[in-house]
Amino acid sequence: MSGTAAGVRTLVLWCPDWPVIAAEIVAGIPASGPVAVLHGNRVLACSEAARADGVRRGLRRREAQSRCPQLVVVDHDQDRDARAFEPVVAAVEEVAVGVEVVRPGACALAARGPARYFGGEEPAAERIVEQVAQACAVESQVGIADGMFAAGLAARSGMVVAAGRTREFLAAVPVEALERPELADLLRRLGVKTLGDFAALPASDVLTRFGFDGALAHRLAGGLDHRPLAVRQPPPDLDVSDTYDEPLERVDVAAFAGRVLAERLHERLGAHGLACTRLGIEAVTADGQELHRVWRHEGMLTAAAIAERVRWQLDGWLTGARRGAPDRPTAGLVRLRLVPDGVLVHLGLQPGLWGDTGAERERAHRALSRIQGLLGPEAVLTAVLGGGRSADDQVRLVPWGDERTPARPTGEPATPLPALAPVVVTLTDAPVPETLPAPPGKPAPRSLPAPPGETASPGTGGGRTGETAPPGTGGGRTGETAPPGTGKGRRGSKRPVPLPPWPGRLPRPAPALVLPQALPAVVLDADRWPVGVSARLELTGDPAFLLIGAAAPVVIAGWAGPWPVDERWWATTEARRRARFQVVLDDGRALLLSLVSGHWAIEAIYD
C-alpha cells in the first residue's frame, strides 16, 4: 500500500506514564518512587519503580499494594493531567505548528512541515524531544508513520516507520492494540491474533459481522485513519502596546494613554470571551530602561479596574522619578505594554454576590473595600487554609483583597498512611448510663503521665511520632520534619519540590466547625471510670460515655484514635503534647476530642 493511500505522514509525541508524571508536576509526588494512579479501584498507570515490584495496569488496589507495600496511591484526575500537559503542547508548538492533543500525555501533528524544516523526519523527532526536555523537564518519545494510529504505536518504541511500510509494521501487532477489549477477545477466539490477520479479512464481511465499530477498527488495522488531524488553534495574542514619539513625563498624559490601552485590552479580552485576574504593566523609557510590575485583583478586572491600576503604576513610576527614588525611570516613557495574566473564561453578566462575575459582586467588593478604608485593613478578613496538624492551627485570616497564600505549606498526607494506624471501634451493645459515683474499692486508673499542659509521648524509644525538629538540631528522630533551609536541593530543577506530609496530621474529613475555645468534657468507660491514655498509647478503658458540663452523659456509639502529637518538645514553655480522638455519639453528633494531661476537651464538630 502506498504512503498516499495509507494516510498522511503523522508524528506522535508520547510521554510514558503521564498520569504519574502529572501527579509529580502538580502534587509534588516523586515519580522516581513506587507510585500508582488508580481509577475505579484499578491501576491506570504506575511508575518504573512500581513496575519493578510487579505492579501492572489493571491490578486491583489491594493486589498492587500487596506486591509493593511502599506503593504511593494517587487518585486519577483528568483535569490535573490536562493542566500539566499544556506546557508540553506549548513547547511542541514553539518548533512545529498544527498540534492536535490526542489525550493528556500524547499529541500529534503532520510530519511533513517539521521534516522539511529540520532536514528529515528523524532530525525533526530528535529536535521535538529535545525541546520538550529542555522546556518542561519531561521525558518523551516520538513515532512517525502513515496515519495517527500507527504513529501512536510507533511512538511507544520510538520508531520512524518508512513511508509505505505502515501496514507491514502493523501486521505483527496484537489485536489488543485496538483498545477494544470485547472485540479483541472475540477475534482471538476466532483465531485472529494480529492486526495483519484482521486487516486481511474482507471489509464487507467485517462490517456485516462486527458492525460499524468493527469496520473502523478494521481500517485502523490496515493503516487507514477514519478522520484527518484536528489541529489545535494556538492561543490568541492578547497583549496590547503602543509607542509614543514624545516621551510621557507628566502623570495626566501617561494616565490618559494608559486608559486607552486599558480599553483596548478589555475589548480584546471580551472579543474572545475572556477576562483576567492579574495585569502586567511594562514600560520602556527614552534611554532604554525597562520597567515591569504585576497587579493582582481578587476578582476579574474590568475596563475601569485595568485603567485604574495602570494610572496608579504610572503615577508611582513618574512621581518616584521626580523625587529621586531608586530604581525609577530616569527619562520619559516611550512605550507601554499591558499583558493579561490569569486569563479565565468570562461568565457574562449573570448576577452573583460571591460567585460568578456580575454587578452584585463588584458592589460587594467596593463595599468591603470602603469598610477597610474607614476601619482599617483588618476590619474585613477572609480565611485561608494552610498546613498544620490540628484543626485549630490550619486557618489563617488575611485582609480582604490581599493575596490568599497560606502561612505554612499544605503538604497533603501521602498514601500509604504511617505505620501507626488508628483503630476504629464500634460498641455493639452500648451500656445504659446509670449513677455516676464510682464503686468503692476500685483503684483509680492511670492517667496520662505528662507535665502540665502536655500529653504523653506516643513513642517508647528515642523517636517520637508527629514531632517537628527544632532549627539547628542534629540527629533525626522518627517522624520528624527537618527545619526549612537545611535541605540541599538540586539547582536548576524545573519541577516543583515535593511537599512532605505533616506528621501527626488528622486524617480526612476535616471538621466543619472549630471551636474558638475548647469545651471541657469527661469521657467515661462502661464502668463509669474516667478514660486515660498511657505513655504507650494504651487506653485504660473503651470510651462509652461523654459528659459535657452538667448535662446527662451521652452514649458513645463509635470512636477512632488515638492520634498523638508532640509539638515543639525542645521549647519548654511552648511544648504541647496531646492525644486526639474522633467520636460518634448515639444522637448522631460527631466530635473531635483531645486529651491533655488527663483532661478531655471538645476541639471541633463534624457535619
Side-chain angles (χ1 to χ4, degrees):
M1 181 176 294
S2 64
T4 304
V8 179
R9 296 288 291 174
T10 305
L11 182 150
V12 171
L13 180 133
W14 173 63
C15 299
D17 307 325
W18 181 251
V20 177
I21 302 300
E24 179 182 22
I25 295 174
V26 177
I29 300 175
S32 57
V35 182
V37 178
L38 298 186
H39 179 65
N41 205 35
R42 290 185 178 273
V43 177
L44 178 67
C46 58
S47 63
E48 185 66 27
R51 280 194 295 270
D53 289 339
V55 180
R56 295 292 184 270
R57 287 191 59 181
L59 287 181
R60 292 189 176 275
R61 175 179 184 143
R62 181 169 297 180
E63 174 66 19
Q65 290 180 327
S66 66
R67 296 187 180 185
C68 180
Q70 299 82 18
L71 186 67
V72 177
V73 176
V74 183
D75 292 332
H76 182 226
D77 187 351
Q78 291 184 348
D79 295 338
R80 176 186 63 206
D81 297 349
R83 289 195 306 269
F85 193 59
E86 175 61 26
V88 177
V89 180
V92 176
E93 287 181 335
E94 292 181 3
V95 295
V97 296
V99 179
E100 174 188 350
V101 179
V102 181
R103 62 181 180 276
C107 60
L109 65 151
R112 180 184 178 185
R116 295 180 61 183
Y117 184 81
F118 293 107
E121 293 179 343
E122 291 187 3
E126 294 176 358
R127 180 65 181 88
I128 292 177
V129 170
E130 181 182 2
Q131 173 68 18
V132 172
Q134 292 178 350
C136 307
V138 172
E139 296 182 359
S140 60
Q141 298 178 187
V142 166
I144 301 177
D146 298 333
M148 187 169 59
F149 174 71
L153 295 179
R156 296 183 177 271
S157 55
M159 294 179 55
V160 176
V161 181
R165 305 191 63 178
T166 298
R167 187 160 185 169
E168 179 182 347
F169 165 72
L170 294 174
V173 178
V175 292
E176 285 76 10
L178 294 171
E179 296 184 351
R180 291 168 169 82
E182 296 181 358
L183 177 61
D185 180 68
L186 178 57
L187 290 176
R188 280 200 168 273
R189 287 189 280 114
L190 294 175
V192 181
K193 300 181 179 180
T194 63
L195 296 182
D197 299 336
F198 188 36
L201 299 177
S204 58
D205 295 344
V206 172
L207 178 62
T208 304
R209 178 63 178 83
F210 302 106
F212 183 71
D213 186 66
L216 290 179
H218 183 261
R219 287 181 57 85
L220 296 178
L224 300 173
D225 285 338
H226 60 280
R227 65 169 180 83
L229 285 174
V231 299
R232 192 182 80 145
Q233 296 294 333
D237 185 10
L238 303 176
D239 304 348
V240 295
S241 60
D242 204 350
T243 304
Y244 311 98
D245 296 333
E246 295 292 333
L248 305 177
E249 298 180 350
R250 293 170 45 189
V251 175
D252 55 347
V253 177
F256 179 79
R259 185 174 186 85
V260 174
L261 282 181
E263 293 177 354
R264 285 173 51 191
L265 175 62
H266 189 263
E267 292 177 359
R268 181 169 297 185
L269 291 173
H272 293 88
L274 303 174
C276 66
T277 59
R278 294 187 300 273
L279 176 67
I281 305 175
E282 299 178 358
V284 179
T285 63
D287 55 3
Q289 184 182 5
E290 296 182 358
L291 306 173
H292 177 73
R293 289 291 184 275
V294 176
W295 285 78
R296 182 187 297 270
H297 185 56
E298 180 68 21
M300 294 187 180
L301 288 166
T302 61
I306 295 174
E308 189 176 49
R309 280 150 181 79
V310 172
R311 178 175 60 83
W312 290 344
Q313 187 58 63
L314 295 177
D315 189 5
W317 279 338
L318 297 177
T319 304
R322 290 195 297 269
R323 293 176 180 174
D327 299 331
R328 298 296 182 178
T330 56
L333 307 180
V334 296
R335 188 172 185 270
L336 287 178
R337 181 168 176 254
L338 302 184
V339 182
D341 194 8
V343 178
L344 304 173
V345 177
H346 196 279
L347 301 179
L349 298 178
Q350 178 66 33
L353 181 59
W354 304 107
D356 300 340
T357 57
E360 298 297 329
R361 190 179 191 280
E362 293 298 326
R363 288 175 54 192
H365 176 69
R366 289 195 298 269
L368 296 178
S369 300
R370 181 171 178 80
I371 293 175
Q372 288 180 314
L374 295 175
L375 304 179
E378 303 295 332
V380 183
L381 304 176
T382 57
V384 179
L385 185 64
R389 298 180 179 85
S390 303
D392 57 351
D393 61 0
Q394 297 182 20
V395 177
R396 182 175 73 97
L397 298 178
V398 299
W400 172 264
D402 287 4
E403 187 173 358
R404 297 169 54 84
T405 56
R408 293 178 289 186
T410 57
E412 295 295 334
T415 303
L417 293 176
L420 183 60
V423 179
V424 181
V425 179
T426 302
L427 303 179
T428 55
D429 297 326
V432 180
E434 299 176 359
T435 58
L436 293 181
K442 184 171 182 179
R446 279 197 311 163
S447 298
L448 184 65
E454 303 178 355
T455 59
S457 170
T460 59
R464 305 183 182 183
T465 303
E467 297 180 345
T468 303
T473 58
R477 307 188 182 188
T478 304
E480 296 179 349
T481 302
T486 59
K488 298 181 179 179
R490 291 185 301 175
R491 301 180 60 183
S493 176
K494 296 187 178 182
R495 294 183 180 177
V497 178
L499 295 177
W502 281 87
R505 183 173 182 175
L506 286 173
R508 295 185 181 94
L513 175 63
V514 180
L515 302 179
Q517 187 70 27
L519 183 62
V522 177
V523 178
L524 307 176
D525 60 11
D527 295 330
R528 301 176 304 282
W529 279 92
V531 177
V533 178
S534 68
R536 295 180 178 273
L537 291 180
E538 296 177 352
L539 275 69
T540 59
D542 293 338
F545 303 104
L546 178 65
L547 185 61
I548 306 174
V554 183
V555 177
I556 297 178
W559 58 276
W563 284 281
V565 63
D566 188 354
E567 297 178 298
R568 302 190 67 80
W569 46 265
W570 60 90
T572 306
T573 59
E574 302 177 4
R576 186 170 66 163
R577 305 168 65 185
R578 53 183 172 160
R580 297 158 297 171
F581 294 78
Q582 292 172 331
V583 299
V584 178
L585 304 182
D586 193 46
D587 56 8
R589 290 179 295 171
L591 307 175
L592 175 64
L593 306 181
S594 65
L595 178 61
V596 180
S597 298
H599 299 283
W600 291 88
I602 301 175
E603 290 190 352
I605 302 174
Y606 294 90
D607 281 340

